[in-house]
Amino acid sequence: MKRPTLDGLLLASTDPGRLGRWYAAALDPEADTVVGDYRVFTFGGFHLIVDTRADISDKNPEPGRFILNFDVADARAVVARMNGLGVSWLAELEDRDGSLFATALDPDGNYVQIIQLSDEHRAAM
């Protein structure tokens, strides 16, 4: 029997158009596809699916419940692109023993972490 594979995450919004535009501009996905009412972003082998739901509020009331972690090659460049979009930061870019981390808030208040691991941290994993 094949083991389950985590393939994606459905990210619901009261304004999926706005949220989709933000993810496209802020994180430069490998693919940006519209499938029916869904906007599907591909990052590596992972799919971030933006949709709408009637049972949610405009802002995520518990944004620490999950954090979208994006492994990037150049955290400073991604942070600069996001700053150009006027992103709000929960945690500014910081160096943690050679690895770079920053946590932004998307338009719905979800936490989006940018991570550039050092070669040493990557080897330790």
Side-chain angles (χ1 to χ4, degrees):
M1 181 168 150
K2 182 182 175 212
R3 290 181 175 249
T5 301
L6 184 61
D7 179 67
L9 172 83
L10 183 115
L11 188 57
S13 175
T14 58
D15 190 345
R18 177 195 65 197
L19 194 61
R21 287 187 299 277
W22 186 87
Y23 276 92
L27 292 160
D28 189 29
E30 292 169 36
D32 177 355
T33 309
V34 175
V35 180
D37 292 334
Y38 301 104
R39 187 150 180 196
V40 181
F41 298 103
T42 304
F43 297 96
F46 191 82
H47 300 95
L48 180 63
I49 304 153
V50 177
D51 191 18
T52 190
R53 292 180 57 99
D55 61 346
I56 60 171
S57 61
D58 291 339
K59 294 287 181 186
N60 184 346
E62 294 183 316
R65 190 169 287 270
F66 71 89
I67 299 173
L68 295 168
N69 292 323
F70 287 88
D71 179 28
V72 301
D74 186 347
R76 287 181 177 85
V78 173
V79 166
R81 180 171 55 242
M82 293 172 100
N83 281 336
L85 297 171
V87 165
S88 296
W89 295 98
L90 177 68
E92 298 278 338
L93 185 67
E94 66 177 303
D95 187 318
R96 297 183 192 166
D97 299 321
S99 293
L100 301 175
F101 291 82
T103 306
L105 301 172
D106 76 13
D108 286 1
N110 300 303
Y111 294 170
V112 178
Q113 189 164 244
I114 306 306
I115 304 170
Q116 180 184 340
L117 289 178
S118 67
D119 292 338
E120 294 79 17
H121 284 141
R122 210 170 282 285
M125 293 177 65

